[in-house]
Amino acid sequence: MLGCAAGGAGASACESALMRQHLIAVLGAALILLASAMPRAAEAAHWQAVLVAGDTAQPVFDNASRAVAAWLVEHGVAEADIHRLAASAGRRDRAVEPATLRRVLGRIAALRSGPGDGCFIFITSHGGRGLGIYLSREDEMLSPKALARALAQGCAGVPTVVVVSGCYSGSFAQLPMAASNRIVLTAARADRSSFGCAADRTYTEYDACLLGSLAHATSWQTVFDETKDCVSRREHQLGETASLPQAAFGAAVRDLPLQF
């Protein structure tokens, strides 16, 4: 540190230099504190997934769940960490659990993630306006509030990506689902229907666009942007009313890379 002799113009210049040095040090410390307090893009080394096909009225939901499971395995997620639930689950297929409300919420709550973990939740089915996502196995509805509670238990504080594909699913991109550690992508606005649930289709339009984006995107923001644009193009081609897919990006995961 500088030292200043007493008296004279030289002393005043020296004191000014000391003040500048002190100010720079204070500002530097403040910037370091500010940077440490700002949310950063979280990353996870170990991911667990829960995939739900909620209805059997059309094959599109089971098809999408299987395709997402295959994509996760291709990207390094262990099969033991991928939990599939489906309305169509049979007694002989132990790899797939029945998609009842109790089992879906219980499976998510049981993830019990910790530091270094991440959660990926994919739910595809029909939706009810103001009600949530339909689980046909026992004629139940999965609400945003119930899903948020389960996530708070199983995925508290860890990077979490939730995809809810169904009519009126935009309610899942709002509170209480929105959280700093969560990215939520939905197929439609809360007051709009989605489309593509037909027996002759492989996937719904949203799920087809989502899977297409997952094949090459590098971030979840890119996945949302490309999926939304893809759905919009298809709606325009088919003359459908815009479904307006929604998203909520939490502050801590806003720049989360598409990496497993």
Side-chain angles (χ1 to χ4, degrees), residues 167-180:
C167 294
Y168 313 111
S169 51
S171 58
F172 286 86
Q174 305 168 0
L175 291 173
M177 276 292 297
S180 63

Side-chain angles (χ1 to χ4, degrees), residues 38-47 114-119 155-161 179-183 218-220 249-260:
M38 290 177 65
R40 298 178 181 178
E43 295 185 14
H46 172 240
W47 285 83
D117 288 339
C119 292
C155 305
V158 305
T160 301
V161 178
S180 63
N181 67 308
R182 293 178 197 154
I183 294 173
T218 58
S219 72
W220 287 102
F249 286 82
V253 289
R254 193 176 305 280
D255 300 316
L256 185 69
L258 188 66
Q259 182 177 338
F260 288 94

Side-chain angles (χ1 to χ4, degrees), residues 73-152:
V73 171
E74 289 173 3
H75 286 74
V77 180
E79 290 188 17
D81 290 324
I82 301 173
H83 309 283
R84 288 181 56 206
L85 299 94
S88 62
R91 294 180 181 179
R92 296 182 181 180
D93 188 357
R94 296 184 179 181
V96 183
E97 300 175 58
T100 65
L101 185 62
R102 180 181 65 82
R103 283 178 178 263
V104 169
L105 295 176
R107 176 55 68 189
I108 294 171
L111 293 177
R112 301 296 181 188
S113 301
D117 288 339
C119 292
F120 178 77
I121 313 296
F122 175 77
I123 304 170
T124 182
S125 185
H126 292 291
R129 186 168 184 172
L131 298 173
I133 290 293
Y134 184 53
L135 303 177
S136 69
R137 183 80 177 211
E138 294 186 356
D139 194 26
E140 301 167 302
M141 298 299 294
L142 170 62
S143 70
K145 184 176 181 180
L147 181 55
R149 282 198 302 264
L151 288 168

Side-chain angles (χ1 to χ4, degrees), residues 146-234:
L147 181 55
R149 282 198 302 264
L151 288 168
Q153 291 180 270
C155 305
V158 305
T160 301
V161 178
V162 182
V163 179
V164 184
S165 176
C167 294
Y168 313 111
S169 51
S171 58
F172 286 86
Q174 305 168 0
L175 291 173
M177 276 292 297
S180 63
N181 67 308
R182 293 178 197 154
I183 294 173
V184 183
L185 309 181
T186 74
R189 204 169 69 180
D191 61 345
R192 295 291 179 92
S193 60
S194 188
F195 68 103
C197 298
D200 61 342
R201 292 187 56 85
T202 303
Y203 309 114
T204 66
E205 290 291 351
Y206 179 84
D207 290 350
C209 289
L210 176 76
L211 288 165
S213 176
L214 290 176
H216 63 268
T218 58
S219 72
W220 287 102
Q221 181 66 59
T222 303
V223 169
F224 171 64
D225 292 338
E226 291 190 358
T227 301
K228 181 177 63 174
D229 290 345
C230 172
V231 169
S232 179
R233 287 194 300 271
R234 290 293 296 150

